[in-house]
Amino acid sequence: MSRLRSRSLGDYIINVLMIVICFLAIYPVWYSIIISFSDSNEAMKGGIYLLPRKFSLQSYKTVFQDSSIISAFIVTIARTVIGTVISVFFTAMVGYALSKKYIMGNKLYMILGTITMFFSGGLIPTFIMFRNIGLLNNFLVYVIPSMFNFYNMIIFVSFFRELPAGLEESAKLDGANDFTIFVKIIIPLSMPVIATIALFNGVWQWNDYFTGVIYIYKDYLQPIQTYLYRVVAAADGAKMSIAGTGNVAGQQVSSLTVNLATMVVTTLPIVCVYPFLQKYFVKGMLIGSIKG
């Protein structure tokens, strides 16, 4: 009886802790949403914790009145789709080749690739290289540098090595070459790992703002996350400027709810998609760890 009581007490404590942790994780998101739907003057007064004191859509109207956000959404969707498809296909193709142990230099390629996971040339050499090859202010800067990811390739290699060798041998007997085997046999059999890598890459493409900040200066080429970064940076700059004049209240009215509304608009699409694809993250980690 005492053992059952202690076990029940332990379960109770664990449940309480999990509820607290979930609350701490979810509440900041909820707070940003309710403030974004609040009237600017009420948000400035503070004291809003669970629901908007005065509901208002003015901040969202202000956000969508800016035509730049529509252009930024289009750029983000385009780079996410194009960049993900090209990256998954190219990385899978390289992974398929390196999954064959008879390939000359296989171990050397793996060693060199592993080194790149820990060391890089640095931001300045990368910027100079991108400038010299014409990637500055070019949409391809979102696509070409992300065509290959060595970590994702390792996952592909681990998966491909588990596929039966007899499939390829029978296809070669029928006259199929390596590329035909890869496209018509390997890819259809590898949809679980392809979906996993596509999810990894797609989430990164959608959330990446740094590429647009460093390599893009034209407004019509900036993605939504870079747009959000510049909105917040501009608001912070305005806050410092207005604080020097003593009119802090005016800055809060003009920027607080608009900034949070912009954050909600830019993060909502990927947040809605992510729960439906969460299982692929778990499967991808299992593929990379158990089959390695």
Side-chain angles (χ1 to χ4, degrees), residues 31-260:
Y31 179 79
S32 299
I33 294 174
I34 61 175
I35 295 297
S36 68
F37 282 106
S38 298
D39 179 77
S40 296
N41 294 323
E42 296 297 327
M44 179 194 65
K45 296 177 183 178
I48 301 175
Y49 301 108
L50 294 178
L51 293 173
R53 186 181 298 118
K54 183 179 180 181
F55 184 83
S56 174
L57 294 175
Q58 186 58 44
S59 297
Y60 287 90
K61 292 179 181 178
T62 302
V63 170
F64 284 105
Q65 283 175 354
D66 187 357
S67 60
S68 298
I69 194 172
I70 306 300
S71 173
F73 261 118
I74 295 174
V75 171
T76 300
I77 294 172
R79 69 169 291 190
T80 300
V81 174
I82 297 174
T84 299
V85 171
I86 293 178
S87 177
V88 170
F89 183 80
F90 187 79
T91 304
M93 189 163 53
V94 177
Y96 175 66
L98 292 183
S99 66
K100 310 304 178 185
K101 296 182 179 181
Y102 58 80
I103 295 294
M104 183 179 297
N106 184 290
K107 292 183 179 180
L108 177 62
Y109 296 144
M110 296 297 291
I111 293 173
L112 293 177
T114 303
I115 292 175
T116 64
M117 295 177 64
F118 302 97
F119 303 97
S120 66
L123 179 59
I124 294 177
T126 302
F127 181 88
I128 295 174
M129 180 183 68
F130 284 3
R131 183 192 62 187
N132 292 339
I133 63 178
L135 287 182
L136 296 187
N137 286 318
N138 191 329
F139 179 81
L140 293 178
V141 76
Y142 300 128
V143 178
I144 294 178
S146 62
M147 284 179 62
F148 178 75
N149 182 282
F150 187 77
Y151 174 78
N152 293 341
M153 191 212 70
I154 293 176
I155 298 178
F156 273 121
V157 169
S158 301
F159 185 86
F160 291 152
R161 286 179 177 174
E162 295 296 321
L163 295 178
L167 293 174
E168 298 180 36
E169 294 175 357
S170 60
K172 288 182 178 180
L173 291 176
D174 292 335
N177 56 31
D178 289 328
F179 187 78
T180 302
I181 294 173
F182 174 71
V183 173
K184 294 187 176 181
I185 297 178
I186 302 301
I187 288 183
L189 293 175
S190 306
M191 292 311 297
V193 68
I194 288 176
T196 302
I197 301 303
L199 184 58
F200 287 156
N201 196 277
V203 171
W204 178 84
Q205 288 279 6
W206 183 274
N207 290 330
D208 175 49
Y209 78 96
F210 188 75
T211 302
V213 171
I214 301 298
Y215 306 115
I216 298 295
Y217 308 119
K218 298 178 180 178
D219 291 341
Y220 68 89
L221 285 177
Q222 68 179 4
I224 193 66
Q225 299 299 342
T226 303
Y227 172 86
L228 172 60
Y229 169 82
R230 288 176 175 167
V231 167
V232 174
D236 290 340
K239 180 177 181 179
M240 295 177 62
S241 176
I242 296 176
T245 64
N247 188 15
V248 179
Q251 184 275 332
Q252 289 178 330
V253 171
S254 62
S255 67
L256 176 61
T257 56
V258 174
N259 285 350
L260 292 179

